[in-house]
Amino acid sequence: MNDIYTLGIESSCDETAVSVVKNGRKVLSNVINTQIPIHTIYGGVVPEIASRNHINNISVVTKMAVQNAGINFKDIDVIACTYGPGLVGALLVGLSYGKALSFALNKPLVGVNHIEGHIAANYITYPDLKPPFLCIMMSGGNTQIVYVKTYTEFEVLGRTKDDAIGEAFDKVARVIGLGYPGGPKIDKLAQSGVDNIELPKTHVDGLDFSFSGIKTAVINLHHKNPDINKENLCASFERYITEMLMEKVKIAVDKTNMKKIVLAGGVSANSYIRKEFEKLQKQGIEIYMPDLKLCTDNAAMIASAGYYDYLAGKINDLTLNAVPNLKLD
Ligand code: KG4
């Protein structure tokens, strides 16, 4: 089979990212323009500002990605674009640009689910990884346990009933004065703290989660006691939220008898969570974690997912629209 070059485009939140990936696994370029410094002053992503910055960045980032890959636009075989879930205005920028490229180059357009992209980040990190496996998807907008049956077929076994895990990290960080994005800051501070503050764990039936209770408990604790040791608070928050996560992971393993677990999404960069998953290896469970630079939003993961969608014949026409609440299954 001839090599297939996929151009991936990602603009679902505050990263304008474009990448070229060969045969779904080999990253030839991965350009990311992050707007984090712009949104930091607001304590979170401002959707309208994100869209406007995507418009300013998308052409330059795309040209750079093609150039860095050492190819020409005419060498691209497939255009893969995130079309949901995400901020509608932000999604529309990348998708419209991808549609225009698909039309101009006369190459197939593939709409990619952003969550599917996060899962595919693992195909880049582990060139031999193949489905089926269980994926623990943990990002700023989603928390799900997914049974990945094939490259393009998914069954969501459980999801958060309220806040996503990354959202809980970000909101706690904002209230205790660490700024945005909070996950990496809590991760760092927790490393010099002791997890000695008791926090409530919310129990939800089945494989669903709820993270808003622990988030509110930490925020209330900080409001009542502003001098509370932040390092210990962060360490305790990480410990209890991870315990809630791991309880469900164990149930999912027992229920499916699947002993191959793959992490995905920005929160899978968390060092405490990674260590807890590593412990499962001693119980005979294979653990796969995306390369740290592929955990958070990027377009290489979108190109990889788009390549497998393309092979499965999932090609879209130019009427494809952004779907802000797109589901995986
Ligand atoms: O996957 P992602 O880039 O965006 C979404 O698709 O939502 O994830 C961003 C989330 C943010 O909530 C951020 O705080 C969190 O990932 N995050 C972390 C860490 N690095 C990023 N959370 C905990 N520990 C980290 N080291």
Side-chain angles (χ1 to χ4, degrees):
M1 196 168 83
N2 287 341
D3 288 332
I4 295 178
Y5 293 88
T6 307
L7 182 92
I9 302 179
E10 157 63 32
S11 71
S12 65
C13 191
D14 58 346
E15 263 89 30
T16 319
V18 183
S19 164
V20 178
V21 173
K22 186 173 151 187
N23 299 331
R25 301 264 178 169
K26 188 165 175 29
V27 180
L28 302 185
S29 66
N30 190 14
V31 182
I32 304 173
N33 180 292
T34 181
Q35 301 175 22
I36 287 177
I38 298 169
H39 298 280
T40 298
I41 50 169
Y42 305 101
V45 178
V46 182
E48 183 59 27
I49 295 177
S51 311
R52 284 167 192 262
N53 279 285
H54 285 311
I55 291 171
N56 289 341
N57 297 332
I58 188 79
S59 284
V60 179
V61 172
T62 304
K63 280 179 196 147
M64 210 185 271
V66 173
Q67 203 173 16
N68 291 359
I71 62 164
N72 293 310
F73 276 97
K74 65 173 174 38
D75 300 320
I76 296 166
D77 298 296
V78 181
I79 315 278
C81 284
T82 305
Y83 75 109
L87 304 169
V88 70
L91 286 165
L92 277 171
V93 178
L95 180 59
S96 305
Y97 199 87
K99 280 159 79 167
L101 269 183
S102 158
F103 181 72
L105 300 172
N106 195 22
K107 297 292 170 171
L109 174 78
V110 174
V112 175
N113 182 310
H114 181 77
I115 312 291
E116 187 191 343
H118 274 299
I119 297 170
N122 287 281
Y123 300 137
I124 297 168
T125 307
Y126 301 98
D128 296 323
L129 176 67
K130 291 187 177 78
F133 51 77
L134 274 184
C135 177
I136 317 302
M137 167 66 208
M138 305 171 277
S139 74
N142 290 276
T143 309
Q144 303 179 349
I145 299 184
V146 184
Y147 190 81
V148 180
K149 298 177 190 170
T150 68
Y151 288 107
T152 56
E153 289 172 297
F154 311 93
E155 184 185 347
V156 177
L157 303 178
R159 53 165 59 90
T160 180
K161 296 250 179 219
D162 39 53
D163 288 2
I165 188 165
E167 205 179 338
F169 270 89
D170 292 338
K171 286 182 181 163
V172 162
R174 186 168 65 194
V175 173
I176 68 173
L178 303 183
Y180 172 83
K185 291 179 175 141
I186 290 185
D187 191 349
K188 194 158 174 239
L189 216 56
Q191 287 171 30
S192 44
V194 183
D195 56 1
N196 58 0
I197 302 170
E198 202 175 321
L199 294 169
K201 290 200 270 182
T202 309
H203 293 279
V204 184
D205 284 347
L207 288 171
D208 288 337
F209 303 97
S210 164
F211 296 115
S212 74
I214 185 168
K215 171 202 71 183
T216 309
V218 175
I219 293 172
N220 287 346
L221 211 57
H222 182 260
H223 279 152
K224 283 189 203 135
N225 182 2
D227 296 327
I228 194 163
N229 181 297
K230 281 187 193 170
E231 284 85 353
N232 293 353
L233 191 59
C234 289
S236 307
F237 170 69
E238 268 192 358
R239 173 188 150 192
Y240 281 91
I241 206 162
T242 308
E243 280 177 12
M244 280 159 58
L245 187 73
M246 298 314 282
E247 279 164 22
K248 298 293 179 168
V249 170
K250 283 175 191 152
I251 299 172
V253 169
D254 289 345
K255 197 173 159 184
T256 58
N257 209 19
M258 172 54 72
K259 302 225 181 304
K260 197 163 156 189
I261 294 185
V262 168
L263 307 192
V267 182
S268 58
N270 183 271
S271 48
Y272 184 86
I273 293 179
R274 288 174 94 98
K275 277 192 203 121
E276 290 304 301
F277 273 97
E278 276 163 9
K279 287 183 192 165
L280 292 181
Q281 280 171 340
K282 294 196 187 88
Q283 296 166 28
I285 297 173
E286 288 175 49
I287 301 291
Y288 297 86
M289 308 185 196
D291 208 65
L292 282 180
K293 61 177 187 305
L294 294 173
C295 285
T296 44
D297 290 350
N298 65 85
M301 66 185 201
I302 301 302
S304 175
Y307 167 80
Y308 288 105
D309 284 338
Y310 171 72
L311 292 188
K314 294 185 165 188
I315 294 164
N316 296 97
D317 62 28
L318 297 181
T319 61
L320 182 67
N321 205 354
V323 183
N325 58 356
L326 185 66
K327 299 279 181 284
L328 194 55
D329 56 351

